Amino acid sequence: MCLLLKVKLKQASTSLDGDPRTPEDREEPKFERTISMSTLKDEFCDPDNPKKIQFEDISAAAYKIRDGIMKTPCTRSRLSGLLGVNIFFKKEFLQFTGSFKERGARYTLMMLPKEQKEKGVVAASAGNHALALSYHGKELNIPITVVMPKIAPLMKVQACRSYGAHVIVTGKDISESREHAMKLGKEQDLMYINGYDHPHILAGQGTVGLEILEQVPDLDACVIPVGGAGLIAGAALAIKSLKPSVQIIGVESETCPSFAEAMKAGKPVYTTTTSTLADGLAVPTVGVNAFVTAAPLIDKMVVVEEQSIALAILRLIELEKAVVEGAGATGLAAIIQGMLPELSGKKVVVILCGGNIDTTCLGRVIERGLAADGRLVRFVVTVSDRPGGITELARTISKMGISLKDMYHERAWIKSDIFSVQVKCVVETRDAEQSKELENVLREKYDHVVWGPVH
């Protein structure tokens, strides 16, 4: 059933000739325009007529945006020796607004007809697409309206406003925001720009593939995060057109494997999503243009666990000195998790597509990464409640050079003798090996030790 959005334009109660009767009294027809969801179609992203972009589109985009987009570095990673893969990171998080989205946004804005440039455009986004459009709209003097859901980070909402965009915060999720944006576009004659499926967006994103081949011409594989599939569609087309032997690998979070499901179904299908560290990839239905372009070019799709994404973010902070969002770290997560053993010893480019991680959750992500790495450990041990019992436990931990982060005592519900106490500890160790060493020491010293999370 279509959701009907009715806009009624009523005539004034008093006409120019002084007749005070209403239009109904005069039996004149009332003008009514009904906008249904079926009329709120995005003409550039038609499921019944998907458009496959061509290599020439990417070449044209590269020429157009060359002066307005940063050519980001693609450098060898310190993680190469640790993981047994010759890794090169394409650092798209270094773009001015923190993601690859700038490429497609700038090209799409530059390709607008002159009249549309004066009227402006509208988009729905919770983050990177909104930031990219807002910034380049200001640079190109094109009015930008972005509709952001209520869950959008305040930092990103404020950033869009600082770039001069008209920001509307409405909708409990991106679907409701998109509906509002498309309705607004119809009413105000603003072009709606889909952030991962507009043909010009795909062409713009493809320019990253051209840069990769220029910077690492002898690569064997390219690992690309997949959300709506705009990035992998453009990048895969650019790379495969010039070097067909390169293996293209797409990576999704286990909480939203929408492209993997689309590959199984042979077309984009709705996929249920849940909360994820890779929020930039949480797109329930991949783009129709992106799918028809990318599907024939992708050699392998993998789905990674949330804890692997957290660990990848931690590794990038510690070893690469790079703060990358969850979506940007999924490619590395696939290698860390051991999903791509065929890449051992090969030259591989991993696209770090964005760095706009919410500062309020960065600390939590680091802690999850430490836990996944076996360096942040939780355990419960039963010790004597007499003087010196807890001190002895703390001394044992300290002698091993381990940092005690948190300690909690539990007496009321313990079922052993009345002079015992359960102590729940969170400690930070040097590595997983030291954590195992601590576990062995505690089990030798105490009768009751519960290691790891208590379910």
Side-chain angles (χ1 to χ4, degrees), residues 271-314:
T271 305
T272 302
T273 65
T274 55
S275 180
T276 173
L277 292 175
D279 58 316
L281 304 184
V283 180
T285 308
V286 300
V288 293
N289 300 325
F291 180 77
V292 297
T293 302
L297 304 172
I298 297 175
D299 297 294
K300 185 176 181 179
M301 284 294 305
V302 296
V303 176
V304 295
E305 299 172 354
E306 287 288 291
Q307 68 173 11
S308 297
I309 298 174
L311 183 55
I313 292 172
L314 178 64

Side-chain angles (χ1 to χ4, degrees), residues 79 83 87 89-93 98-100 128 223-226 231 249-254 276-281 302-318 320 322-340 349-357 362 365-366 369:
L79 289 163
L83 297 172
I87 299 174
F89 285 133
K90 180 60 173 170
K91 300 179 179 178
E92 283 296 284
F93 65 92
S99 85
F100 74 97
N128 292 341
V223 183
I224 307 172
V226 180
L231 175 60
I249 300 170
V251 185
E252 296 179 296
S253 165
E254 62 182 349
T276 173
L277 292 175
D279 58 316
L281 304 184
V302 296
V303 176
V304 295
E305 299 172 354
E306 287 288 291
Q307 68 173 11
S308 297
I309 298 174
L311 183 55
I313 292 172
L314 178 64
R315 289 279 187 269
L316 288 166
I317 291 173
E318 289 185 322
E320 294 293 324
V323 179
V324 176
E325 63 186 88
T330 53
L332 176 60
I335 298 175
I336 289 175
Q337 194 177 318
M339 304 289 287
L340 305 172
V349 173
V350 177
I351 301 179
L352 304 180
C353 60
N356 291 318
I357 188 168
L362 180 58
V365 172
I366 291 173

Side-chain angles (χ1 to χ4, degrees), residues 396 400 436-446:
T396 300
M400 296 181 66
K436 186 62 179 176
E437 184 184 347
L438 173 62
E439 181 184 1
N440 293 336
V441 169
L442 293 177
R443 291 194 186 280
E444 287 179 10
K445 194 175 184 69
Y446 300 101

Side-chain angles (χ1 to χ4, degrees), residues 185-213:
K186 286 284 186 182
E187 293 175 347
Q188 300 183 12
D189 201 15
L190 305 175
M191 180 187 288
Y192 177 76
I193 299 179
N194 185 305
Y196 54 84
D197 203 37
H198 191 288
H200 291 154
I201 289 285
L202 304 188
Q205 318 306 29
T207 60
V208 73
L210 298 179
E211 289 182 13
I212 287 171
L213 284 172

